[in-house]
Amino acid sequence: MAAGAGRPGASAQAEPPAGASGPELARAVLDAAKARRQAAATTRRRGAVRGDGERRLRGYSGPGPDPRDPQPLGAVLDKLVKARGWQQPAAEATVFGAWERVVGSEVAQHSRPVKLENGELTVEARSTAWATQLRLLAGSLLQQIAREVGHNVVRKLHIHGPAAPSWSRGPRRVRGRGPRDTYG
């Protein structure tokens, strides 16, 4: 045997000694593996580090607030949305999903959002009279939307009346301009 090969942890070399063969080579490799295992065990004992860089705490959390305590679902979702960069799509979805809360119940009864593209929201009113009223209220609507979902989500409103029905086809078509009604 080589000198010092019988002692545990005697050799922690990264490379086996030059010219080593057989049992000497095996002993050098074994000693290096033991040294790596001991080094890894000491870092594990100091506190496990999670994948996101936070130290994992051990033991009981105690009486005060602790990051290991159960968290409300809303707080966890907010943290996930911020981590993934989903603030803008979530705000845009709020405009459509919570239209009544965003603009108020009376306006929501007579209008609906159609599309949101590049900060321009297209709103369809129930009648031409409501379309005119919404155009007059456009400034206050933009402020309400900004207050509810955030600034620069909706920068401009396009408001139009209901889509006019077409009388150009069908079994009872009459030639001429059609009825003189207030569509569009």
Side-chain angles (χ1 to χ4, degrees), residues 23 32 38 47 131 142 183:
Q38 283 178 342
L142 282 172
Y183 287 101

Side-chain angles (χ1 to χ4, degrees), residues 105-122:
S105 62
E106 188 176 5
V107 172
Q109 286 176 349
H110 300 285
S111 65
R112 69 182 181 93
V114 177
K115 73 176 182 179
L116 176 60
E117 205 170 68
N118 300 326
E120 296 182 4
L121 178 65
T122 303

Side-chain angles (χ1 to χ4, degrees), residues 67-124:
R68 296 172 289 177
D69 291 341
Q71 301 295 316
L73 184 61
V76 173
L77 284 177
D78 287 342
K79 187 176 179 182
L80 177 69
V81 166
K82 286 180 184 176
R84 300 285 174 118
W86 293 339
Q87 292 98 337
Q88 186 74 15
E92 291 173 359
T94 303
V95 171
F96 289 94
W99 180 246
E100 185 174 350
R101 187 187 66 192
V102 171
V103 296
S105 62
E106 188 176 5
V107 172
Q109 286 176 349
H110 300 285
S111 65
R112 69 182 181 93
V114 177
K115 73 176 182 179
L116 176 60
E117 205 170 68
N118 300 326
E120 296 182 4
L121 178 65
T122 303
V123 178
E124 182 179 281

Side-chain angles (χ1 to χ4, degrees), residues 106-107 110-111 125 127-141 157 159-160:
E106 188 176 5
V107 172
H110 300 285
S111 65
S127 67
T128 54
W130 267 100
T132 303
Q133 185 68 24
L134 291 177
R135 285 185 196 106
L136 294 172
L137 294 173
S140 64
L141 286 176
L157 285 177
I159 301 169
H160 60 83

Side-chain angles (χ1 to χ4, degrees), residues 144-171:
Q144 285 178 332
I145 292 170
R147 194 177 320 122
E148 192 67 34
V149 298
H151 296 285
N152 292 329
V153 175
V154 177
R155 293 184 298 274
K156 189 174 181 182
L157 285 177
H158 294 287
I159 301 169
H160 60 83
S166 173
W167 287 284
S168 65
R169 295 186 184 93

